[in-house]
Amino acid sequence: MIVISKKRVFEGKVLGEEMSDDWEYFLDTAPVFNYLNMKEIHLVCPIPGEKGTFVLQDDLPYLATEGPLKMIEKFFATHRLMDYQLMRRTCQSLEGLPSKKVPIVNAHFVLFPITKPEMSTWLNPLTIFQVAEDAGYTTITLTNGLSLKLPIVKKSLVALTNKAIYSLATYRQDYSTFMRSEGHPLSYVMIPATPFGRTLVKQKLLQEWLLTPGEFSRQYKLEEHLLWYQSLEGEFPKIE
């Protein structure tokens, strides 16, 4: 038995790429996602058959009609957080940050895609409890017990997770008003004491900074100015 919260109890729910009884359960029972709710998001997952998006927020399941990236962009825009297109451009300009499967961050959490962002599953790396690889797929178990079978090998998942956590640490280093440290990136991010967490704390990328303080925020602000300038001249080109 998997206890998701005091309000809901699920029995062995495993989400895969095909429409299963578990998917049908969530489609029948999960309420519509409320974009005004600011609580931490643990998972954003496309529902098979283009039926919208499954959102796990604060250990409760919700459904959104938008695709995964549209849902995330709408959530961040609602709370006046980072713009994903600007985040992508910023990351592509700076060392150490992911240039393709770019995460999205705020002061409280980070989400990263495992494939093309528009239709990918997005994970909160700090809510991963353990992973197990089998025949090119990886089963990811979250800290609340929910499991997902995704088309990614463990090595690639660890690499994406590292970059997402590094991105969160970089954001907090530049924007946090209460966190100040001269140490390494993990001074800004507390990794949970889980089997997957013990793997993450050993990763080289998280042991030292590749950026100087303020470099990320300055580049993001520059991209905002470029967007404003491009809006005067014509359409701002999107990243493919």
Side-chain angles (χ1 to χ4, degrees):
M1 180 177 291
I2 299 172
V3 179
I4 297 295
S5 74
K6 294 181 180 179
K7 295 181 179 179
R8 294 186 183 276
V9 178
F10 302 142
E11 296 181 356
K13 298 303 176 188
V14 180
L15 304 184
E17 293 185 294
E18 298 179 355
M19 183 60 68
S20 63
D21 291 341
D22 292 334
W23 276 119
E24 296 289 356
Y25 174 86
F26 287 121
L27 288 174
D28 291 340
T29 61
V32 175
F33 180 69
N34 178 6
Y35 283 94
L36 296 177
N37 188 341
M38 183 56 183
K39 293 182 179 179
E40 182 175 354
I41 295 176
H42 297 173
L43 168 70
V44 176
C45 184
I47 300 172
E50 298 184 359
K51 294 186 177 182
T53 299
F54 173 86
V55 184
L56 191 64
Q57 185 183 46
D58 196 32
D59 287 344
L60 289 173
Y62 299 95
L63 302 178
T65 57
E66 297 84 2
L69 180 56
K70 291 293 185 183
M71 175 266 147
I72 291 170
E73 289 181 320
K74 184 175 178 180
F75 175 83
F76 274 69
T78 299
H79 298 283
R80 298 186 177 183
L81 302 172
M82 300 198 80
D83 179 278
Y84 186 61
Q85 291 300 320
L86 296 180
M87 177 74 184
R88 293 174 79 175
R89 293 177 182 278
T90 300
C91 286
Q92 291 177 347
S93 302
L94 297 174
E95 182 182 8
L97 298 177
S99 60
K100 292 184 179 179
K101 298 170 185 176
V102 176
I104 185 72
V105 298
N106 62 55
H108 305 290
F109 65 89
V110 56
L111 295 168
F112 71 94
I114 66 163
T115 57
K116 188 176 180 180
E118 286 72 15
M119 289 304 297
S120 174
T121 292
W122 292 66
L123 294 165
N124 180 329
L126 300 180
T127 64
I128 299 175
F129 180 77
Q130 64 183 7
V131 299
E133 182 182 349
D134 180 34
Y137 281 79
T138 296
T139 298
I140 300 169
T141 302
L142 303 182
T143 51
N144 58 29
L146 186 68
S147 295
L148 304 94
K149 185 177 180 181
L150 300 175
I152 187 173
V153 297
K154 181 178 177 180
K155 182 178 180 180
S156 297
L157 177 69
V158 171
L160 290 174
T161 304
N162 284 342
K163 292 181 179 180
I165 292 174
Y166 182 84
S167 300
L168 176 61
T170 300
Y171 179 93
R172 286 177 172 176
Q173 182 189 46
D174 282 11
Y175 288 100
S176 178
T177 58
F178 60 91
M179 299 179 71
R180 289 289 182 269
S181 173
E182 299 295 331
H184 49 70
L186 290 181
S187 300
Y188 286 87
V189 180
M190 182 178 292
I191 304 296
T194 60
F196 191 67
R198 288 192 285 273
T199 297
L200 294 178
V201 296
K202 302 174 184 178
Q203 301 303 308
K204 182 178 179 181
L205 179 62
L206 301 179
Q207 307 309 315
E208 59 184 54
W209 293 108
L210 299 177
L211 299 172
T212 57
E215 196 172 353
F216 175 84
S217 57
R218 287 193 297 270
Q219 185 63 38
Y220 186 85
K221 181 61 68 175
L222 174 61
E223 297 296 342
E224 281 187 312
H225 289 314
L226 290 175
L227 174 60
W228 174 80
Y229 178 78
Q230 290 287 342
S231 69
L232 300 178
E233 299 295 323
E235 183 178 356
F236 195 50
K238 291 185 178 180
I239 299 175
E240 297 295 335

